Structure formats: C-alpha cells, structure tokens
Amino acid sequence: MTLLADDGSPRTKESDAHPRSALDRVLNPSTIAIVGLSDKSPVAPFIRPTLDSGARVHFVHPTAATVFGASTYPSISEVPGPIDAVLSVMSAERTVALAEECAPLGCGGLIIYAAGFSELGADGEGLQRRLTAAAQHGGMAVVGPNSLGYISVSRSLNLTASANYHPPAGGVSIVSHSGAMIGGVAITAARRTGVGISRLISAGNEAVTDIADYLDFLAEDPDTTAVGLIVEGIRRPAAFFRAARRCLDAGKPIVAVKLARNSRTQQMAASHTGALAGNSWAYDVAFRHAGIQLAHDLEELVDRLSVVDQLDPAKWNSVERLGVVAGTGGFASLAYDIAEAEGLTLPPLDALADWVASTIPGITVPNPLDTTGFGASFWTEIVDRYVGSPDLDAVVFVNMWGEGDDSPVYRRLIDDVASAARRFGKPVAIAAGAGPVGSYAQEVIGTDGSVALGHGLRGTLRGLQTMGAFVRDRARPRPQAEPVAAMPCPSGPVTRTSDGRRFLPFTQAMDLLAQFGIPTAPHCVVGADERATPDFDGPYAVKLADVPHRTELGAVALNVARADLDRAVADMRALATRHGLPEAVAVQPMASARGELLVGVEGGSELGPMVVLGIGGILVEVLERVGGRPAPLTSADAEALIEEFRDLRIMHGYRGSEPWHLAQLTELLVGFGRLAAACHDWLESLDVNPLLVTADGLLAVDALFIVRDGVDDVRG
C-alpha cells in the first residue's frame, strides 16, 4: 500500500467517465478514503489489514492529525482523486452529509456502517432519501447502510466492521443481508480444509445497491467460482433472477439460505393456498426453479459450495451414479443412508461384485464398499477400479484421516486417490468420517482441482449433490412462458371473510376460471326473491354462493332432488339470515369424483405470483404438502410440478388405477399460470379446492378469489 501525504492539492470534480462500473470501483478499489476512523476506533483493528491490500489509502478526520501513522485530510473534498471507495465510520447524519459531499467528486461509491436509516421507520426514512438522492446524483454505488461492509480475502481488503476470522482464500463469494452472517461464514470456512473465500459482502439496508447488483458484479468477477446468498428479502425480483441466470450461465453455482422462514404474518387465514404457501415457501419454489440451490444454515451453505470451489469445472458432471469406498463397515452403511437422504444414487456395481468377493474376505456389497483391514493391501487396485469404473460418475473415499493422523500410510492412500483422479478426470472427494480432513491432505492432493476435501460425510455428499444438480440444471432446456397482459379486477359487489378480506362473488369467480380454459361445473345463482330453475339435471349440490369455507357453517346440501330444491334453497337463505351472510344461493349438478386436487395461486409473494398444486379435499391439510412454480408456466414447468407428486402414488395412479388426467392437468396449470400473471395487480390468492377428478376429466366446482387490500376497482 502507498500512504499519500497531504500535498495540499485541492480535490476537483472528475469530468471523464470511468470505464468501470461504480460497484466494480467500490469492490475492486485502487484508491480508498476512510472517513471518521481514529486509532482508538473499535473497528480500527478490523480495517488495518487493508493497508496491505495494494490500494492507496487516504484517511479523513476533522481532528486527528494521523491514523495508523499516516497524515489525514480534514475533508473528503481535499483528498486528491479519483477515489474509488469511501468508507464512512461515522453516524448516519454525518454519513449522509459525506455522501452529499462526495456526489460531485466522481467517487465510485460508499461503504456505510451506520444504522439509523429506513430500518428505524419514519425517523430514518428522510436520511435514507437524502442518501439515495446523493448516490443517484453522483452515480455512486452504496454498500449498506446498516452494513458491516465487505472483505476481499485474496486482496486483504477489509473495509469492514467484522472481526477478521482469517478464512482461507478461495473462490466462494458471499452476499448477506444480515451483517453478522459474514463472520459466521468466515468462521465456518476457516474450520474446513480445502474450501476458500473470495468475498464477504454485507448488503445491509440496500438503500441504493441491492443483491441483484451484487450478483451482476459476481457473474463477471474472475475471482468468484461460486456464490452463497443469505437472504432476508428481495426488492427487485425480476432483476435478481436475471442476474442469477448470468451467474449460472457463467458456470457459477448459487446456494442460498433464506432467513425468517417461519414468519406467518403475511399468510391468509381465509385461504388454504395462503396458509400452505407462505413467503418462505415461495422463495424455495422460485429459487429451485431458477437453479438456485437451498441450504438451511451456514454450515450447509459452505458445505454445498466447497466441492465446486475445489474441483476443476472441467471435471464436473451430473453425479447420477456415485461410488463410496469406506475404511469401515460403519462408514459404508452411514454413507449409504446419508446419500439416499441427500438425493444421491449409489448403483449396485454388479460388474465389480465378483472381484470384490474374491479380493476382500467376507465382503459381497461393492457399493458402498467396506475395505476392512484388508483394503490397504489392495488399495491401489481398489482406487483404480472405482475411479475408473464406467458405471460411476464420481467417487467418495472416506476414512479417519483427520488432523491428527498425518501418517505416511494415509499420505500414500490419499496420493493414490489423487493420481487416479488425474488419470480418469472424474470428480473425486475425500472425506473424514467426521469433521475436516487433515490439512496435510491438501499438500498431498495439490492445487490442480483434481480432488476435493469434504467436511464429514454429510458435508461431502452435499457438496457433490450441489455440483450434480447444477450440471443437470444447466443442461435443462429453459423455454420462457409467453408474456400475459394485465387484467383489471372485476368491478361489482364483493363479500368479506370473517377477518375482513374481500373476495369475488361466485359467478365472477367461475367466469374468470372459464376465461382461462379451466373447465367449470354448470351452475345457476339464485337471488333473494328468486326460485331455482336450473337448466341442467340433478341431483344437485346447493350452497350459499358468496361464503368461503361453507362446510364449517353447514352451508352445503348435497344430493338434493328436483322436488326438494326450493326447500334446500330456503334452508340456505335462513342460514344466511342467522349468520348475517349474503343470501345468494348456488345450485350445481352433483359430480361423481374419484379424487380431488387443490390448485391455487399465491399472489402475495414478494417474488411474484405462484401457482400452487396439491392433493385436494381434507388431504391438503393432512399432508400439508404443496408444490408450485412462478407464473406464468410453460408446459415443461407444469409437467415438472406434477412429477414432484409421483412419490405419493395418488395422482399418478396406484394399485392399477388410472392416473388423474395428467395431460389435462398440465394444460390447466398453464391456464392457472396465465390467470395468475394477468391478475397479479389485484389477486392476493386463489383456491380451487376441490378440482374434481371425474371419469371425463378435471372439473372446478368452486373458487375463492381473495382481492388484495388497497385495490379500488372492486366496490365492497
């Protein structure tokens, strides 16, 4: 680093445009100004490594003459420019004034620790608006506010309020909304052997620069091989998923942890769809659909990224057939169970059965292989046969080669594995039975990306599963659904649920389904002073038309004969009067069904509308399982969604029964997706429960359209 003395030259506005983006300048700075730091600042030890980064660092302080022995400038405008990154170690009010001073100076942007902005509500929103305006005026990026800054491990750029946990350098870059999480990732990585960190970025409030911008940057960052996200919420879903696609297309897997998964504050008591498809569910669905893989804690996040960080991408494959060679029977058995739980397949390897039985006494199961105490005698041949097997896509070798087992024997065994991995060009991982592999293994395998070192069995297998899923996802065709024009909310009277939610009347709901190609049962709606005169044969189902969850009220009568129709309608009206409900009564022909589906729309997700599918009727509550896709859907999306339910052996046919009209269901899901996209401006949620499975096809007999609060086109 070069510390610049105060030469008295004034700081002037820079007129020439920079060829680099503002965010690139902030995250890859050549010049840095640190404002408000003193030698006594609590964060001074965390920032000090930046002096070894190779960037030119200036210090700005109104009273301290020196910082870290370097002379200071009294204001940012007096620092000779250009300045790529400005780190503020000051309060919110002073930081905003600093941003306004930086705006005309051609700075790349700011890194802001201070809290006291929009997270405080109205009291901080004014400051955040000023900060945003200054950044827009100056074309500046902003990391934060309410951020712990960032760390670039390979460059020793520690523009951070986080302690330096000394993670090893590597290719994994992390972006986190929660600042403390970057320290947790650093600690986790430091405890692993092999995996390394490139960047740790604390996004904070995202007043200006958000997670979509960081992903865009990382897609082109040559130092990043894989990306981890720790997400609270996404402000710009469309931009986020475009940026994620750029990362994935660049060969950089993404794994995400979604925080606040159990919050139910936005779910809808009136809607099965809302209750089952909460906001975290929508993130899971949208992330998987986009090729972003999921983790549930920091350890899993690092494990899932570790293998792709270590292995040469030229060796990656889909890992559809995994081999495991274990030093003991216990590890072999455990490996099989964990592999199955993580979605990995261990083929039986019948071609190796005779050789295994004749080579290792008492062993007849080739995969996973228990080498027993005899394995060391035939180790080189074992390694060659398994790594070289055409029936395996990848191989894991597991033994107790931990940190305290740096023996010549273990080094030789690991060297044989590395040699075979180079020779056959296949993904190979080495795992300790528990915890990290000893650091000596890194010396043995080298740095050419032939072998990955995993963390315990589960961590290693998760890493291979992530690599395989990424390769499979990249190979999957990605046709885009046709755009759908927005549709206004139907005007007219609506009813409210018990908690005040507005929903469309029965007739409008059924007409809207039919408009999108969803078959509906014949119906007529009888007003307060009308007789029921259906033009279809009975027996009939008679129900209060504009009431949700009728069963709980007893507001449904089934198998009503024509002669009893007037009495059934009168009973429904009397029930409505007792409960203060709308008196409109719906009459439909009874339909014989052999199954029921729930199909719905979750329109309140932060990520846009989602189509929801589940087994219907009471089973939707018993199973508490639904699948979904972002709307609109392609036919391929719909088919993949239906396939997720094959394991239940219900809609796909069981005990010789016919499947539930799956081709028609595919078409209907596409229709629901178009409906969801068209009505997104006003539709909070939609339930079609049940969608009946009849002998002739699928049939909707009811629908609950919940209208979003604040929509004025519907008169309540």
Side-chain angles (χ1 to χ4, degrees):
M1 185 203 84
T2 303
L3 291 173
L4 297 184
D6 186 353
D7 61 4
S9 58
R11 179 71 172 89
T12 59
K13 181 176 179 179
E14 186 176 38
S15 58
D16 294 334
H18 286 272
R20 296 194 294 153
S21 71
L23 185 55
D24 183 33
R25 292 178 64 196
V26 171
L27 297 179
N28 288 319
S30 298
T31 55
I32 301 168
I34 300 176
V35 185
L37 183 73
S38 72
D39 290 337
K40 295 181 180 180
S41 295
V43 296
F46 308 151
I47 296 172
R48 191 178 187 105
T50 303
L51 303 184
D52 299 320
S53 68
R56 294 187 296 174
V57 180
H58 312 274
F59 295 99
V60 177
H61 201 284
T63 59
T66 63
V67 176
F68 298 149
S71 298
T72 65
Y73 295 89
S75 70
I76 192 73
S77 60
E78 297 186 41
V79 177
I83 305 171
D84 292 322
V86 179
L87 171 63
S88 174
V89 191
M90 300 190 296
S91 67
E93 185 74 50
R94 290 184 175 182
T95 295
V96 171
L98 172 66
E100 292 169 339
E101 188 178 0
C102 288
L105 302 181
C107 299
L110 293 91
I111 302 100
I112 302 175
Y113 296 165
F117 291 87
S118 63
E119 78 279 2
L120 295 184
D123 292 340
E125 286 176 357
L127 285 175
Q128 187 148 319
R129 283 194 296 271
R130 285 175 56 194
L131 173 63
T132 302
Q136 290 174 343
H137 174 63
M140 298 184 296
V142 175
V143 178
N146 193 20
S147 161
L148 292 188
Y150 75 80
I151 300 170
S152 177
V153 176
S154 62
R155 282 194 60 189
S156 294
L157 281 168
N158 282 37
L159 300 180
T160 181
S162 177
N164 186 358
Y165 296 103
H166 304 288
V172 174
S173 289
I174 305 292
V175 183
S176 174
H177 283 133
S178 171
M181 293 289 182
I182 65 171
V185 171
I187 292 170
T188 302
R191 292 174 178 171
R192 304 295 198 261
T193 304
V195 65
I197 299 297
S198 178
R199 301 178 187 272
L200 298 167
I201 302 170
S202 168
N205 284 10
E206 298 185 321
V208 176
T209 306
D210 66 10
I211 198 167
D213 297 313
Y214 294 119
L215 276 179
D216 251 334
F217 166 81
L218 294 174
E220 296 184 359
D221 179 28
D223 298 327
T224 297
T225 59
V227 178
L229 304 177
I230 303 168
V231 178
E232 291 176 354
I234 293 174
R235 295 190 304 144
R236 299 187 296 143
F240 170 85
F241 287 113
R242 283 195 301 269
R245 192 70 249 160
R246 289 188 65 219
C247 278
L248 297 170
D249 287 344
K252 302 178 182 185
I254 304 173
V255 179
V257 174
K258 173 66 175 76
L259 301 179
R261 297 187 58 83
N262 295 319
S263 171
R264 293 192 176 257
T265 57
Q266 298 179 4
Q267 293 185 1
M268 302 178 58
S271 165
H272 278 117
T273 300
L276 290 164
N279 207 39
S280 64
W281 174 91
Y283 272 84
D284 290 353
V285 166
F287 280 2
R288 288 193 184 102
H289 181 69
I292 298 171
Q293 300 187 57
L294 304 175
H296 292 87
D297 54 43
L298 300 187
E299 287 79 7
E300 182 178 356
L301 178 70
V302 174
D303 286 338
R304 290 199 174 278
L305 294 169
S306 65
V307 168
V308 292
D309 178 45
Q310 296 178 72
L311 286 178
D312 180 353
K315 300 179 184 294
W316 297 0
N317 64 42
S318 58
V319 194
E320 296 179 70
R321 303 166 301 170
L322 177 68
V324 174
V325 177
T328 70
F331 287 149
S333 176
L334 184 60
Y336 189 87
D337 293 340
I338 295 175
E340 186 175 61
E342 294 296 335
L344 292 163
T345 299
L346 274 64
L349 294 185
D350 294 335
L352 289 178
D354 291 342
W355 177 82
V356 167
S358 64
T359 303
I360 307 175
I363 299 300
T364 58
V365 177
N367 194 24
L369 177 66
D370 170 16
T371 61
T372 74
F374 294 94
S377 303
F378 306 98
W379 181 253
T380 302
E381 188 175 3
I382 290 172
V383 170
D384 283 356
R385 284 185 179 268
Y386 276 76
V387 178
S389 171
D391 298 323
L392 293 176
D393 300 316
V395 186
V396 174
F397 294 87
V398 56
N399 211 325
M400 286 305 299
W401 25 50
E403 192 61 59
D405 296 313
D406 183 3
S407 67
V409 171
Y410 277 173
R411 283 179 174 262
R412 180 181 66 80
L413 299 182
I414 292 172
D415 186 59
D416 281 348
V417 171
S419 297
R422 291 186 184 96
R423 192 160 59 255
F424 293 105
K426 186 176 293 185
V428 172
I430 291 175
V437 178
S439 58
Y440 65 89
Q442 186 71 69
E443 302 171 13
V444 177
I445 66 172
T447 58
D448 63 353
S450 295
V451 179
L453 303 177
H455 187 83
L457 260 174
R458 187 176 293 275
T460 306
L461 293 174
R462 279 174 168 170
L464 285 167
Q465 190 277 335
T466 295
M467 180 186 73
F470 172 75
V471 171
R472 293 193 299 274
D473 182 78
R474 288 191 80 193
R476 176 167 57 93
R478 289 186 168 273
Q480 296 297 307
E482 293 293 327
V484 181
M487 171 181 290
C489 183
S491 61
V494 297
T495 305
R496 294 184 182 272
T497 65
S498 58
D499 63 353
R501 301 275 186 173
R502 298 181 298 167
F503 61 96
L504 294 186
F506 177 84
T507 300
Q508 287 184 342
M510 299 299 279
D511 289 348
L512 198 52
L513 290 183
Q515 187 172 341
F516 285 89
I518 298 156
T520 60
H523 63 273
C524 68
V525 176
V526 185
D529 299 320
E530 299 175 344
R531 289 191 62 189
T533 57
D535 58 1
F536 42 82
D537 295 333
Y540 302 102
V542 181
K543 58 193 177 186
L544 288 178
D546 300 330
V547 175
H549 309 313
R550 303 176 185 87
T551 304
E552 289 86 340
L553 288 171
V556 180
L558 302 177
N559 291 306
V560 176
R562 186 85 181 208
D564 299 324
L565 194 54
D566 288 343
R567 179 178 57 79
V569 170
D571 289 344
M572 289 297 144
R573 288 173 177 158
L575 180 66
T577 300
R578 288 198 302 273
H579 290 279
L581 298 170
E583 294 186 8
V585 177
V587 179
Q588 294 173 292
M590 291 293 297
S592 177
R594 59 189 181 92
E596 298 180 350
L597 290 163
L598 162 70
V599 183
V601 173
E602 170 58 18
S605 159
E606 296 172 356
L607 302 181
M610 302 281 172
V611 174
V612 182
L613 173 66
I615 305 299
I618 62 171
L619 284 179
V620 70
E621 296 177 359
V622 172
L623 296 172
E624 290 191 337
R625 174 172 165 185
V626 292
R629 288 294 185 277
L633 284 68
T634 65
S635 294
D637 294 332
E639 290 168 356
L641 174 56
I642 294 168
E643 187 64 20
E644 291 180 7
F645 291 84
R646 182 175 291 277
D647 65 302
L648 294 180
R649 293 177 294 183
I650 298 177
M651 69 173 71
H652 288 78
Y654 58 97
R655 293 188 177 181
S657 65
E658 291 293 320
W660 286 6
H661 308 293
L662 300 185
Q664 185 190 12
L665 179 57
T666 297
E667 296 176 2
L668 264 61
L669 289 173
V670 172
F672 274 102
R674 293 181 60 79
L675 185 157
C679 302
H680 178 51
D681 290 343
W682 57 268
L683 180 61
E684 184 71 20
S685 73
L686 162 63
D687 283 355
V688 176
N689 183 25
L691 180 68
L692 295 182
V693 184
T694 73
D696 298 323
L698 304 174
L699 189 67
V701 297
D702 211 338
L704 176 61
F705 284 80
I706 302 268
V707 178
R708 184 172 298 134
D709 289 341
V711 175
D712 297 327
D713 291 340
V714 177
R715 297 190 299 272

